[in-house]
Structures are given as C-alpha cells and as structure tokens.
Amino acid sequence: MSSRPSAGLPHTRVALVTVADAGLGRAVARQLAEAGMTVYAGARREEAGRKAERELRAAGLDARHVPLDLDEVATVARAAELVERSSGRLDVLVNMVGLTSSLDRTSENATDGFRAVFETNLLDAIHLMTVTNAMFPLLRRSGGGHIVNIASAFHTPERNGNSTPRNAVEALTLQYADIGRQDGVLVNAVCVDASTPAWDGFEEDGALRRAAALPVRLVLAEDPLLTATSTGPDGVCSGLSAQAQAPDGGSGAGPVHVV
C-alpha cells in the first residue's frame, strides 16, 4: 500500500468499525463520529450499510459505508484499500466479534450447544485475525493507532469455562498488543454482557449506549501504555499480561474501574 497523505483534514482521526450497520456496532460508530472522527462503517449487506450511513450523516456525522463481509477475505482487503485511498490513514479499528449467545442450560443437547459455541468462537477468531492483519499496516503508520476487540461473556463478567468467546478474544488481544507495542499500536478488549443487542435494537436503547461507551473510552484514552487489558461489562479493567498498563497508571496486575 502507498503512503499517500490524507486528502481530508490532516488531523482528523479515522476509524473503522466492523459490522456497524445496526445495534452495538452502529452505536459505537455513532459515538466515535460524535467524538469528531471520520468513521468507516463496515457492513455485509449494501442496503443496510447505506441506510446506516444515511442516518448517521443526517445527524451531521462523518460516517461512510464500506462493504465488508468477514467471510470474504477479498472484501477485507478492498476495505483496507478504500480507507487508504479515501483517507490515507487509519487510527482506530473496532472489531465486533465474539458476540455469542449464551448456552441454553435447560437443553438436553448440551454437547451440541458447546460444539456450536466453539465453532462460532473459532470463526470469530478467524474474522478478528483477518481484519486486524489487513488493517495493521495502516494502524502502524498512524503513529499511535488503537484496536479494540469486543467479545461477550454469557451474561457474566467472570472468567470461567462458559466465557469461551471472551477468552479467545482476550488471547488474541494479548498477542496483537505484544506485536503492536514497538509501533505504538494499543490493543485492548472489551467484554459486553451477552444480552446486549448486538445486530439489532435501537441506538436509543440505554444498554446499547452504555456498552458502546466502553470501547469508545479506550479509543479516546491518552495513556500511551494502556494496552493488553480487558474491560468487563461492569467497567472493571484487568491487565492481560505483566506489561499491561491499568487505567490508573498501575502495573495492570489487578482490576480497576474505568472512569
């Protein structure tokens, strides 16, 4: 990819939100745009993506639809090319992955339920890696990019055997944080309650606004050491490694509340 400078305002931060045509993804895109960013809203379906773009633009926000089918690697590569061609940079990537529904504990087919969760979790991990790998060169070039990976935890913030989607996303977050440190790319995770509307629901919904506020806070945080952390739906942020920097400036070894 070329290093052509942005044709727009030189100091306008640029963000990409995957699956941003509805629900939590669109709520995140809205809040980032309200913070003054140019936001590329990824969507698999053209009609839904254009509708989200029109609604956000009608609110005076700089939102731009970008075709992005996470199952099609070619569309991910084209999305990276579009962002570079149109804006010349990428400062923020929000990966909407790992939003798996909770297991039906009353079902007699528990094995099938666990298998479905693991299969979905594996696919989500592949999606996260595909998008992040495609966007990483642009984020490195920004001189201080942010990646926030969003997962779910089966209605509970605790790490346990039933938090498979969260655990996988956190493991990938730690890997990318280690890779990004040398280039100033900060990589963190946010875990939302699985009951939060992910792909449907209105942005006016209080749960959506609150859930979207967590990744946006991490994106807007100015601490250059805030990386390799995971924030739960209760607002408690924990370090994923010894190098992680907690929001209070500590080592990240213990949980603290995001403010």
Side-chain angles (χ1 to χ4, degrees), residues 37-103:
M37 297 186 192
T38 293
V39 178
Y40 288 87
R44 173 180 299 182
R45 295 179 295 116
E46 177 80 12
E47 181 180 355
R50 292 298 182 189
K51 180 181 178 182
E53 179 187 63
R54 288 193 300 270
E55 292 177 353
L56 293 175
R57 282 184 170 272
L61 303 174
D62 188 0
R64 310 177 186 186
H65 163 66
V66 55
L68 187 61
D69 186 339
L70 298 180
D71 290 319
E72 297 290 339
V73 176
T75 71
V76 178
R78 286 196 294 268
E81 293 170 358
L82 185 152
V83 171
E84 182 182 28
R85 184 172 63 252
S86 301
S87 295
R89 61 184 297 162
L90 182 66
D91 303 279
V92 175
L93 170 64
V94 180
N95 279 312
M96 303 293 301
V97 297
L99 294 165
T100 304
S101 300
S102 59
L103 289 172

Side-chain angles (χ1 to χ4, degrees), residues 2-179:
S2 70
S3 58
R4 183 178 62 84
S6 172
L9 295 175
H11 301 299
T12 299
R13 297 180 72 190
V14 178
L16 169 66
V17 181
T18 65
V19 198
D21 55 328
L24 182 58
R26 189 169 65 177
V28 170
R30 173 182 285 272
Q31 291 188 27
L32 290 175
E34 288 174 343
M37 297 186 192
T38 293
V39 178
Y40 288 87
R44 173 180 299 182
R45 295 179 295 116
E46 177 80 12
E47 181 180 355
R50 292 298 182 189
K51 180 181 178 182
E53 179 187 63
R54 288 193 300 270
E55 292 177 353
L56 293 175
R57 282 184 170 272
L61 303 174
D62 188 0
R64 310 177 186 186
H65 163 66
V66 55
L68 187 61
D69 186 339
L70 298 180
D71 290 319
E72 297 290 339
V73 176
T75 71
V76 178
R78 286 196 294 268
E81 293 170 358
L82 185 152
V83 171
E84 182 182 28
R85 184 172 63 252
S86 301
S87 295
R89 61 184 297 162
L90 182 66
D91 303 279
V92 175
L93 170 64
V94 180
N95 279 312
M96 303 293 301
V97 297
L99 294 165
T100 304
S101 300
S102 59
L103 289 172
D104 182 0
R105 301 181 184 280
T106 64
S107 172
E108 296 180 358
N109 299 318
T111 300
D112 291 342
F114 276 111
R115 178 174 179 175
V117 167
F118 274 94
E119 289 178 347
T120 302
N121 185 48
L122 176 60
L123 185 59
D124 285 336
I126 292 173
H127 288 161
L128 188 154
M129 290 187 290
T130 300
V131 175
T132 303
N133 290 344
M135 303 299 165
F136 221 87
L138 279 172
L139 290 161
R140 277 178 165 148
R141 208 182 303 158
S142 73
H146 288 257
I147 299 175
V148 178
N149 301 320
I150 301 180
S152 60
F154 293 158
H155 306 281
T156 175
E158 288 80 14
R159 291 172 175 77
N160 53 42
N162 294 330
S163 297
T164 306
R166 176 179 186 176
N167 295 337
V169 170
E170 288 181 343
L172 288 170
T173 296
L174 179 56
Q175 293 296 318
Y176 280 111
D178 288 340
I179 294 171

